[in-house]
Amino acid sequence: RDFASRVLSRHIFSKAGSGADVLVVSKDVAVIDADDTTSLPFHSVGPGFVRHATKQGHSVHALSRLEDASWETNNENDMKMPSWILLAVFDPPHGMEDNVLTSEAATSLLSTCTVTYIVHRVSASQTGSYGAKAADELIRRGYKVQVLSTSHHVRGYPANTILETNTGVAKLLRLGWALSVKGKARGNHYGEGNMFHAYLFATQGLDLAIPSQREYLDLKSGGHMSFNATTKEALIPMKRCKPSPVRIAFMHAPTDAPTIDHFHITCNGRQIIANEVKRLWMSAESPDLSEAACVSVSSLLCGEGSACTTRILEAPSHPQGSADDDPNLLVLMIDPISQPLFKQTLSKTHGLLHDMGFKSFERYTVVGDNSGPNQAALYSGTDLVGRTDISSQHKDRFQWIWDDLRQNRGYATFKAEDGCIRNSNMVASIQPNTTHGSVLHEMNCFDFQRPNCIGHKPAAEHLTRHVSQFIAEYSKMGRKWAAFASFVDSHEDTMSLALSLDDLFHNFLSGLSGPILADTMILLVSDHGLHYGPFLQSRQGARERARPVLQMLLPRRYRENQKVMDTLTNNTRLWVSPFDVYATLRHVLLNDVGHPSQSCSSLLLPL
């Protein structure tokens, strides 16, 4: 019940009909319409999810088989497959657990539709173990498969345990089956006879099956908060990425040293040979064309590990060159975080922004419940009417700011985030046509580990490093640039993983050189506060969802204009929205002040 309430609290808009689609494929579909007092078969979760989803206003598809879905019948009068399913629950009969996610209907669903969360039953009995193949299909598609619940306590497999391969699922089933046999021999009967059940939770994001800050605290080092008397800060020890002895680097020039596909790969400083490489990934067909590469190594001499590296390859200049006085643009997006949580978890960064002269807009507010409407307004000035409008098949409706800068001003552009979402019909689906950044999309799926680590380093560190490489390369060439970096580490409902961004942001921003700061417009923003989970159910949580972060630093020539700065300061006290920020971007970067009749206005003008 708690899980269903937490997950199903997500919506797109704050109005009627704003719910998502929820799919429930259950062996107990016959009792789904029953009232809350109806007794349910043991290990039956389908009806409960249907009831919660209906109460939340979602569109519920309750089926006994996925093949019975109306979009599978090829009838012209039937509804089309949803573009986004918030939650899919697969609770099939025992023995059918693999079929339900490896069928042709499931392949079509997972390939076409964005499915944010999946709950899938697996089981084992004397007839066999079922569900490992289905889990392997989800892992192959980039889902993190975790233990949600089990009918028997299996040591080493508590809730939230990530099952990295189908071998891990098979082992869980084997151990669980042994416990069920042992329990029956002792007269302990759990579940339906001599059988082991487990429900697995899968997501492409960072959410835990069961939210617990303990997953991110370094309990082995004490796990206790310490207090810095000088800065008066509470310091919480967070888990770090597991160290790796492996390093990988691009070869920039011919060398006599042995190489593997023109990469320099070492483990504890020793050159790796080809048969020690488990997997080598690069972002293009050849190393010469690649801007990112990762390697996974298994060696008898130094153990196992992985590593990733990035670089910037110069892109051809756009025929439309930018003017010498056009400023650069740097946008750091935290998706999601509220103003109060930002001040609490990124306290060092918040203090640095004040010292650097950033203007804070305390009444910055949202135009929708989640990323879609807010980022559409921020980056294109477009009102997102429906939840599918931003999906890939509708992306031509939007004129994104990075397209304007690249096509009309000749900017080099960069857009990337630090998460792995392989199939999305939401914001990630727009696949921006930027000069750089797209290589991180697949790199972020390489060897994921908690808390949010890729190649044994924080994904956020890879992103800031790649942004720094981009800025350095194009600044050296004297070419104008615009970088949009989105950090999804806070997109989990323990509200603690955002702490890992504080030192990273502080170091990145404080490392920007004087010339960069003088000639760059910098935004540190969020698109909304946390929009699901237990905290959202509270009055304070609902308020914080509508209070995103907006911190702005203008290029020096604007900061030296007292009239502009007085106007900007006055506007920080007024209610503003992402539409106003978009108008400001066009004003500063494209010299487009808009039309007075528009409902939004540049923040450099009186509101």
Side-chain angles (χ1 to χ4, degrees), residues 140-159:
R140 187 184 67 81
R141 292 181 178 274
Y143 282 86
K144 292 107 178 163
V145 177
Q146 311 169 42
V147 175
L148 175 61
S149 67
T150 58
S151 59
H152 301 70
H153 173 66
V154 182
R155 182 174 298 179
Y157 289 88

Side-chain angles (χ1 to χ4, degrees), residues 325-345:
D325 60 347
D326 284 348
N328 305 307
L329 174 64
L330 174 61
V331 179
L332 303 177
M333 163 76 73
I334 304 177
D335 176 13
I337 199 167
S338 66
Q339 289 184 39
L341 187 61
F342 173 75
K343 295 175 183 178
Q344 176 185 351
T345 57

